[in-house]
Short mmCIF file of all heavy atoms in Angstrom, two decimals:
data_model
loop_
_atom_site.label_atom_id
_atom_site.label_comp_id
_atom_site.label_asym_id
_atom_site.label_seq_id
_atom_site.Cartn_x
_atom_site.Cartn_y
_atom_site.Cartn_z
N GLU A 67 -7.64 58.91 191.19
CA GLU A 67 -8.15 60.19 191.68
C GLU A 67 -7.55 60.57 193.03
O GLU A 67 -7.19 61.72 193.27
CB GLU A 67 -9.68 60.12 191.78
CG GLU A 67 -10.33 61.45 192.10
CD GLU A 67 -11.84 61.36 192.07
OE1 GLU A 67 -12.40 60.27 191.86
OE2 GLU A 67 -12.46 62.41 192.27
N ALA A 68 -7.40 59.59 193.91
CA ALA A 68 -6.81 59.86 195.23
C ALA A 68 -5.37 60.31 195.09
O ALA A 68 -4.92 61.23 195.78
CB ALA A 68 -6.91 58.62 196.11
N ALA A 69 -4.64 59.68 194.16
CA ALA A 69 -3.23 60.07 193.94
C ALA A 69 -3.14 61.49 193.40
O ALA A 69 -2.27 62.27 193.81
CB ALA A 69 -2.56 59.09 192.99
N VAL A 70 -4.04 61.83 192.50
CA VAL A 70 -4.05 63.19 191.94
C VAL A 70 -4.38 64.21 193.03
O VAL A 70 -3.74 65.28 193.12
CB VAL A 70 -5.07 63.29 190.77
CG1 VAL A 70 -5.27 64.72 190.34
CG2 VAL A 70 -4.60 62.44 189.60
N LYS A 71 -5.32 63.89 193.90
CA LYS A 71 -5.67 64.81 195.00
C LYS A 71 -4.49 64.99 195.94
O LYS A 71 -4.19 66.10 196.36
CB LYS A 71 -6.88 64.27 195.79
CG LYS A 71 -8.19 64.48 195.09
CD LYS A 71 -9.34 64.02 195.97
CE LYS A 71 -10.67 64.23 195.28
NZ LYS A 71 -11.79 63.81 196.11
N ARG A 72 -3.80 63.88 196.27
CA ARG A 72 -2.63 63.99 197.15
C ARG A 72 -1.53 64.82 196.49
O ARG A 72 -0.88 65.63 197.15
CB ARG A 72 -2.11 62.59 197.50
CG ARG A 72 -2.94 61.89 198.56
CD ARG A 72 -2.24 60.66 199.11
NE ARG A 72 -1.93 59.67 198.11
CZ ARG A 72 -2.75 58.68 197.73
NH1 ARG A 72 -3.95 58.58 198.29
NH2 ARG A 72 -2.38 57.81 196.82
N LYS A 73 -1.33 64.62 195.19
CA LYS A 73 -0.29 65.37 194.47
C LYS A 73 -0.63 66.86 194.46
O LYS A 73 0.25 67.71 194.70
CB LYS A 73 -0.17 64.84 193.04
CG LYS A 73 0.94 65.48 192.24
CD LYS A 73 1.03 64.86 190.86
CE LYS A 73 2.10 65.57 190.05
NZ LYS A 73 2.15 65.07 188.67
N ASN A 74 -1.89 67.19 194.20
CA ASN A 74 -2.31 68.61 194.20
C ASN A 74 -2.15 69.22 195.59
O ASN A 74 -1.70 70.36 195.73
CB ASN A 74 -3.75 68.74 193.73
CG ASN A 74 -3.91 68.48 192.25
OD1 ASN A 74 -2.95 68.56 191.49
ND2 ASN A 74 -5.12 68.17 191.83
N LYS A 75 -2.53 68.48 196.62
CA LYS A 75 -2.39 68.97 197.99
C LYS A 75 -0.92 69.18 198.33
O LYS A 75 -0.55 70.18 198.95
CB LYS A 75 -3.04 67.96 198.96
CG LYS A 75 -3.03 68.38 200.39
CD LYS A 75 -4.00 69.51 200.63
CE LYS A 75 -4.14 69.78 202.11
NZ LYS A 75 -4.94 70.94 202.38
N MET A 76 -0.07 68.25 197.89
CA MET A 76 1.37 68.36 198.13
C MET A 76 1.93 69.60 197.45
O MET A 76 2.72 70.35 198.06
CB MET A 76 2.07 67.09 197.61
CG MET A 76 3.52 67.07 197.84
SD MET A 76 3.78 66.71 199.55
CE MET A 76 5.40 66.05 199.48
N MET A 77 1.51 69.86 196.21
CA MET A 77 1.99 71.05 195.49
C MET A 77 1.52 72.32 196.19
O MET A 77 2.28 73.28 196.33
CB MET A 77 1.51 71.01 194.03
CG MET A 77 2.23 69.97 193.20
SD MET A 77 1.62 69.72 191.50
CE MET A 77 1.03 71.28 190.98
N GLN A 78 0.28 72.32 196.65
CA GLN A 78 -0.26 73.49 197.35
C GLN A 78 0.52 73.73 198.65
O GLN A 78 0.89 74.88 198.96
CB GLN A 78 -1.74 73.29 197.67
CG GLN A 78 -2.35 74.40 198.48
CD GLN A 78 -3.72 74.06 199.02
OE1 GLN A 78 -4.25 72.99 198.74
NE2 GLN A 78 -4.28 74.95 199.80
N LEU A 79 0.80 72.67 199.39
CA LEU A 79 1.54 72.82 200.64
C LEU A 79 2.98 73.26 200.40
O LEU A 79 3.53 74.06 201.16
CB LEU A 79 1.50 71.51 201.44
CG LEU A 79 0.14 71.13 202.02
CD1 LEU A 79 0.19 69.75 202.65
CD2 LEU A 79 -0.34 72.16 203.01
N GLU A 80 3.61 72.74 199.33
CA GLU A 80 4.96 73.18 199.00
C GLU A 80 4.98 74.66 198.64
O GLU A 80 5.90 75.40 199.01
CB GLU A 80 5.53 72.34 197.86
CG GLU A 80 5.91 70.93 198.28
CD GLU A 80 6.33 70.05 197.12
OE1 GLU A 80 6.17 70.48 195.94
OE2 GLU A 80 6.81 68.94 197.38
N LYS A 81 3.95 75.11 197.92
CA LYS A 81 3.85 76.53 197.55
C LYS A 81 3.69 77.39 198.81
O LYS A 81 4.35 78.43 198.95
CB LYS A 81 2.65 76.72 196.61
CG LYS A 81 2.49 78.11 196.09
CD LYS A 81 1.30 78.17 195.13
CE LYS A 81 1.07 79.58 194.65
NZ LYS A 81 -0.10 79.68 193.77
N GLU A 82 2.82 76.95 199.73
CA GLU A 82 2.64 77.69 200.99
C GLU A 82 3.92 77.70 201.80
O GLU A 82 4.27 78.72 202.40
CB GLU A 82 1.51 77.06 201.81
CG GLU A 82 0.13 77.32 201.28
CD GLU A 82 -0.96 76.68 202.13
OE1 GLU A 82 -0.70 76.39 203.33
OE2 GLU A 82 -2.06 76.48 201.61
N LEU A 83 4.65 76.56 201.81
CA LEU A 83 5.92 76.49 202.53
C LEU A 83 6.92 77.49 201.96
O LEU A 83 7.59 78.20 202.71
CB LEU A 83 6.49 75.07 202.46
CG LEU A 83 7.85 74.86 203.11
CD1 LEU A 83 7.76 75.11 204.62
CD2 LEU A 83 8.38 73.47 202.81
N ALA A 84 6.99 77.57 200.64
CA ALA A 84 7.90 78.53 200.00
C ALA A 84 7.52 79.96 200.36
O ALA A 84 8.39 80.80 200.65
CB ALA A 84 7.90 78.33 198.49
N GLN A 85 6.22 80.25 200.37
CA GLN A 85 5.77 81.59 200.74
C GLN A 85 6.12 81.91 202.19
O GLN A 85 6.58 83.01 202.50
CB GLN A 85 4.26 81.72 200.54
CG GLN A 85 3.82 81.76 199.10
CD GLN A 85 2.30 81.75 198.96
OE1 GLN A 85 1.57 81.46 199.91
NE2 GLN A 85 1.83 82.04 197.76
N MET A 86 5.91 80.95 203.08
CA MET A 86 6.22 81.16 204.50
C MET A 86 7.72 81.34 204.71
O MET A 86 8.14 82.16 205.53
CB MET A 86 5.70 79.99 205.35
CG MET A 86 4.21 79.88 205.41
SD MET A 86 3.53 81.34 206.22
CE MET A 86 1.82 81.13 205.89
N GLN A 87 8.53 80.56 203.99
CA GLN A 87 9.98 80.71 204.11
C GLN A 87 10.43 82.08 203.62
O GLN A 87 11.29 82.72 204.24
CB GLN A 87 10.70 79.60 203.36
CG GLN A 87 10.59 78.25 204.04
CD GLN A 87 11.16 77.11 203.20
OE1 GLN A 87 11.29 77.23 201.99
NE2 GLN A 87 11.48 76.01 203.87
N ALA A 88 9.83 82.56 202.52
CA ALA A 88 10.16 83.89 202.01
C ALA A 88 9.75 84.96 203.02
O ALA A 88 10.50 85.91 203.27
CB ALA A 88 9.47 84.13 200.67
N LYS A 89 8.58 84.79 203.61
CA LYS A 89 8.11 85.75 204.62
C LYS A 89 9.02 85.72 205.86
O LYS A 89 9.34 86.78 206.42
CB LYS A 89 6.67 85.45 205.01
CG LYS A 89 6.07 86.48 205.92
CD LYS A 89 4.58 86.34 205.98
CE LYS A 89 4.02 87.44 206.83
NZ LYS A 89 3.14 88.32 206.13
N GLN A 90 9.46 84.52 206.26
CA GLN A 90 10.35 84.41 207.40
C GLN A 90 11.67 85.12 207.12
O GLN A 90 12.20 85.83 207.97
CB GLN A 90 10.61 82.93 207.73
CG GLN A 90 11.51 82.73 208.92
CD GLN A 90 11.82 81.26 209.17
OE1 GLN A 90 11.59 80.42 208.30
NE2 GLN A 90 12.34 80.97 210.33
N LYS A 91 12.21 84.95 205.91
CA LYS A 91 13.46 85.61 205.54
C LYS A 91 13.27 87.12 205.54
O LYS A 91 14.10 87.87 206.06
CB LYS A 91 13.93 85.13 204.17
CG LYS A 91 15.28 85.71 203.75
CD LYS A 91 15.67 85.22 202.39
CE LYS A 91 17.00 85.73 201.93
NZ LYS A 91 17.33 87.09 202.21
N GLU A 92 12.14 87.58 204.99
CA GLU A 92 11.85 89.02 204.94
C GLU A 92 11.75 89.60 206.35
O GLU A 92 12.31 90.66 206.64
CB GLU A 92 10.54 89.23 204.18
CG GLU A 92 10.10 90.67 204.06
CD GLU A 92 8.75 90.79 203.37
OE1 GLU A 92 8.41 89.94 202.54
OE2 GLU A 92 8.04 91.78 203.69
N LEU A 93 11.03 88.89 207.24
CA LEU A 93 10.90 89.37 208.62
C LEU A 93 12.23 89.33 209.35
O LEU A 93 12.54 90.23 210.15
CB LEU A 93 9.85 88.54 209.36
CG LEU A 93 8.41 88.74 208.90
CD1 LEU A 93 7.48 87.77 209.61
CD2 LEU A 93 7.95 90.17 209.12
N GLY A 94 13.06 88.32 209.06
CA GLY A 94 14.39 88.27 209.65
C GLY A 94 15.23 89.46 209.22
O GLY A 94 15.96 90.05 210.03
N ASP A 95 15.14 89.82 207.94
CA ASP A 95 15.86 91.00 207.44
C ASP A 95 15.36 92.27 208.10
O ASP A 95 16.15 93.16 208.46
CB ASP A 95 15.71 91.11 205.91
CG ASP A 95 16.42 89.98 205.17
OD1 ASP A 95 17.28 89.32 205.79
OD2 ASP A 95 16.11 89.77 203.98
N LEU A 96 14.04 92.37 208.29
CA LEU A 96 13.47 93.55 208.95
C LEU A 96 13.97 93.66 210.40
O LEU A 96 14.29 94.75 210.88
CB LEU A 96 11.94 93.51 208.93
CG LEU A 96 11.27 93.82 207.59
CD1 LEU A 96 9.77 93.57 207.67
CD2 LEU A 96 11.54 95.26 207.18
N ILE A 97 14.03 92.52 211.08
CA ILE A 97 14.51 92.52 212.46
C ILE A 97 15.98 92.95 212.49
O ILE A 97 16.38 93.75 213.34
CB ILE A 97 14.32 91.13 213.11
CG1 ILE A 97 12.84 90.87 213.34
CG2 ILE A 97 15.10 91.01 214.40
CD1 ILE A 97 12.51 89.47 213.79
N ALA A 98 16.76 92.42 211.56
CA ALA A 98 18.18 92.79 211.51
C ALA A 98 18.34 94.28 211.25
O ALA A 98 19.18 94.95 211.88
CB ALA A 98 18.90 91.97 210.45
N ASN A 99 17.55 94.82 210.34
CA ASN A 99 17.62 96.27 210.04
C ASN A 99 17.18 97.09 211.24
O ASN A 99 17.74 98.16 211.51
CB ASN A 99 16.76 96.61 208.82
CG ASN A 99 17.35 96.11 207.53
OD1 ASN A 99 18.55 95.84 207.44
ND2 ASN A 99 16.53 95.97 206.51
N ALA A 100 16.17 96.61 211.95
CA ALA A 100 15.68 97.35 213.12
C ALA A 100 16.71 97.33 214.24
O ALA A 100 16.80 98.29 215.02
CB ALA A 100 14.36 96.76 213.60
N GLN A 101 17.50 96.27 214.34
CA GLN A 101 18.51 96.16 215.40
C GLN A 101 19.75 97.00 215.12
O GLN A 101 20.54 97.24 216.03
CB GLN A 101 18.93 94.69 215.57
CG GLN A 101 17.84 93.78 216.08
CD GLN A 101 17.46 94.10 217.52
OE1 GLN A 101 18.21 94.66 218.28
NE2 GLN A 101 16.23 93.73 217.87
N LEU A 102 19.92 97.48 213.87
CA LEU A 102 21.13 98.21 213.51
C LEU A 102 21.38 99.43 214.40
O LEU A 102 22.48 99.64 214.88
CB LEU A 102 21.09 98.64 212.04
CG LEU A 102 21.52 97.58 211.04
CD1 LEU A 102 21.35 98.10 209.62
CD2 LEU A 102 22.96 97.16 211.28
N GLY A 103 20.37 100.24 214.62
CA GLY A 103 20.56 101.46 215.41
C GLY A 103 20.35 101.24 216.89
O GLY A 103 20.33 102.20 217.66
N ARG A 104 20.21 100.02 217.33
CA ARG A 104 19.84 99.76 218.72
C ARG A 104 20.92 98.98 219.48
O ARG A 104 20.60 98.24 220.40
CB ARG A 104 18.53 99.00 218.77
CG ARG A 104 17.40 99.79 218.19
CD ARG A 104 16.11 99.05 218.31
NE ARG A 104 15.06 99.82 217.65
CZ ARG A 104 13.82 99.47 217.61
NH1 ARG A 104 13.44 98.36 218.16
NH2 ARG A 104 12.94 100.22 217.01
N GLU A 105 22.16 99.13 219.08
CA GLU A 105 23.21 98.45 219.82
C GLU A 105 23.24 99.02 221.23
O GLU A 105 22.95 100.19 221.45
CB GLU A 105 24.58 98.65 219.16
CG GLU A 105 24.73 97.98 217.81
CD GLU A 105 24.18 98.83 216.67
OE1 GLU A 105 23.99 100.04 216.86
OE2 GLU A 105 23.93 98.27 215.60
N HIS A 106 23.59 98.20 222.19
CA HIS A 106 23.61 98.64 223.58
C HIS A 106 24.84 99.51 223.81
O HIS A 106 25.96 99.03 223.86
CB HIS A 106 23.59 97.44 224.53
CG HIS A 106 23.40 97.86 225.95
ND1 HIS A 106 22.21 98.40 226.39
CD2 HIS A 106 24.24 97.85 227.02
CE1 HIS A 106 22.33 98.69 227.68
NE2 HIS A 106 23.56 98.36 228.08
N THR A 107 24.59 100.81 223.93
CA THR A 107 25.66 101.75 224.24
C THR A 107 25.30 102.44 225.55
O THR A 107 24.18 102.31 226.05
CB THR A 107 25.82 102.81 223.12
OG1 THR A 107 24.60 103.55 223.01
CG2 THR A 107 26.14 102.16 221.78
N GLU A 108 26.25 103.19 226.06
CA GLU A 108 26.01 103.90 227.32
C GLU A 108 24.92 104.97 227.13
O GLU A 108 24.04 105.13 227.98
CB GLU A 108 27.31 104.55 227.80
CG GLU A 108 27.20 105.17 229.17
CD GLU A 108 28.54 105.71 229.66
OE1 GLU A 108 29.57 105.13 229.33
OE2 GLU A 108 28.50 106.73 230.36
N GLU A 109 24.99 105.66 226.00
CA GLU A 109 23.99 106.71 225.72
C GLU A 109 22.59 106.10 225.62
O GLU A 109 21.64 106.62 226.20
CB GLU A 109 24.34 107.43 224.41
CG GLU A 109 23.35 108.51 224.05
CD GLU A 109 23.64 109.13 222.68
OE1 GLU A 109 24.63 108.74 222.03
OE2 GLU A 109 22.85 110.00 222.29
N ARG A 110 22.48 104.97 224.91
CA ARG A 110 21.18 104.30 224.78
C ARG A 110 20.69 103.81 226.14
O ARG A 110 19.51 103.94 226.46
CB ARG A 110 21.29 103.13 223.80
CG ARG A 110 19.98 102.38 223.62
CD ARG A 110 20.09 101.36 222.51
NE ARG A 110 18.99 100.45 222.49
CZ ARG A 110 17.77 100.72 222.05
NH1 ARG A 110 17.50 101.91 221.57
NH2 ARG A 110 16.81 99.80 222.08
N GLY A 111 21.55 103.27 226.93
CA GLY A 111 21.18 102.82 228.27
C GLY A 111 20.66 103.97 229.12
O GLY A 111 19.66 103.82 229.84
N ASN A 112 21.34 105.13 229.04
CA ASN A 112 20.88 106.31 229.78
C ASN A 112 19.50 106.77 229.30
O ASN A 112 18.64 107.13 230.11
CB ASN A 112 21.88 107.45 229.66
CG ASN A 112 23.19 107.14 230.38
OD1 ASN A 112 23.23 106.31 231.28
ND2 ASN A 112 24.26 107.80 229.97
N LEU A 113 19.30 106.75 227.98
CA LEU A 113 18.01 107.17 227.43
C LEU A 113 16.88 106.21 227.84
O LEU A 113 15.78 106.64 228.17
CB LEU A 113 18.09 107.28 225.91
CG LEU A 113 18.91 108.45 225.37
CD1 LEU A 113 19.04 108.35 223.85
CD2 LEU A 113 18.29 109.78 225.76
N VAL A 114 17.18 104.92 227.83
CA VAL A 114 16.17 103.93 228.23
C VAL A 114 15.83 104.11 229.71
O VAL A 114 14.66 104.07 230.11
CB VAL A 114 16.67 102.49 227.94
CG1 VAL A 114 15.78 101.46 228.60
CG2 VAL A 114 16.73 102.25 226.43
N GLU A 115 16.85 104.36 230.53
CA GLU A 115 16.62 104.57 231.96
C GLU A 115 15.80 105.84 232.19
O GLU A 115 14.86 105.85 233.00
CB GLU A 115 17.98 104.69 232.67
CG GLU A 115 17.88 104.76 234.18
CD GLU A 115 19.26 104.81 234.81
OE1 GLU A 115 20.14 104.04 234.39
OE2 GLU A 115 19.43 105.63 235.73
N GLU A 116 16.10 106.90 231.45
CA GLU A 116 15.35 108.16 231.57
C GLU A 116 13.90 107.96 231.14
O GLU A 116 12.97 108.48 231.78
CB GLU A 116 16.01 109.23 230.70
CG GLU A 116 15.35 110.59 230.80
CD GLU A 116 16.02 111.60 229.88
OE1 GLU A 116 17.20 111.44 229.53
OE2 GLU A 116 15.33 112.59 229.53
N MET A 117 13.70 107.18 230.07
CA MET A 117 12.34 106.92 229.60
C MET A 117 11.55 106.13 230.65
O MET A 117 10.37 106.42 230.91
CB MET A 117 12.36 106.14 228.28
CG MET A 117 10.97 105.90 227.70
SD MET A 117 10.98 104.98 226.18
CE MET A 117 11.27 103.34 226.80
N THR A 118 12.19 105.16 231.28
CA THR A 118 11.53 104.36 232.32
C THR A 118 11.14 105.25 233.49
O THR A 118 10.02 105.13 234.02
CB THR A 118 12.47 103.24 232.79
OG1 THR A 118 12.89 102.48 231.66
CG2 THR A 118 11.77 102.33 233.78
N GLU A 119 12.03 106.14 233.90
CA GLU A 119 11.73 107.05 235.01
C GLU A 119 10.58 107.98 234.64
O GLU A 119 9.69 108.24 235.47
CB GLU A 119 12.97 107.87 235.37
CG GLU A 119 14.07 107.06 236.02
CD GLU A 119 15.37 107.85 236.17
OE1 GLU A 119 15.40 109.05 235.80
OE2 GLU A 119 16.34 107.28 236.67
N THR A 120 10.58 108.48 233.42
CA THR A 120 9.52 109.39 232.97
C THR A 120 8.18 108.66 232.93
O THR A 120 7.15 109.22 233.34
CB THR A 120 9.84 109.94 231.56
OG1 THR A 120 11.14 110.56 231.61
CG2 THR A 120 8.82 110.96 231.12
N GLU A 121 8.17 107.41 232.46
CA GLU A 121 6.93 106.64 232.44
C GLU A 121 6.41 106.39 233.86
O GLU A 121 5.21 106.46 234.11
CB GLU A 121 7.14 105.31 231.71
CG GLU A 121 7.24 105.45 230.22
CD GLU A 121 7.54 104.13 229.51
OE1 GLU A 121 7.92 103.15 230.20
OE2 GLU A 121 7.39 104.10 228.29
#
Side-chain angles (χ1 to χ4, degrees):
E67 188 175 3
V70 170
K71 283 184 180 181
R72 283 193 301 272
K73 184 178 177 184
N74 288 340
K75 183 72 171 173
M76 182 76 156
M77 288 174 32
Q78 176 192 357
L79 291 174
E80 286 174 351
K81 184 178 177 182
E82 287 180 21
L83 177 64
Q85 289 174 346
M86 292 296 170
Q87 288 173 339
K89 187 165 183 118
Q90 181 183 15
K91 183 181 181 320
E92 179 183 331
L93 291 174
D95 293 343
L96 285 173
I97 289 172
N99 288 340
Q101 294 292 337
L102 277 176
R104 297 183 183 182
E105 293 84 17
H106 188 68
T107 62
E108 186 176 327
E109 179 185 359
R110 180 172 167 76
N112 292 338
L113 289 174
V114 168
E115 187 177 316
E116 183 182 336
M117 183 181 77
T118 306
E119 291 171 1
T120 305
E121 286 176 346

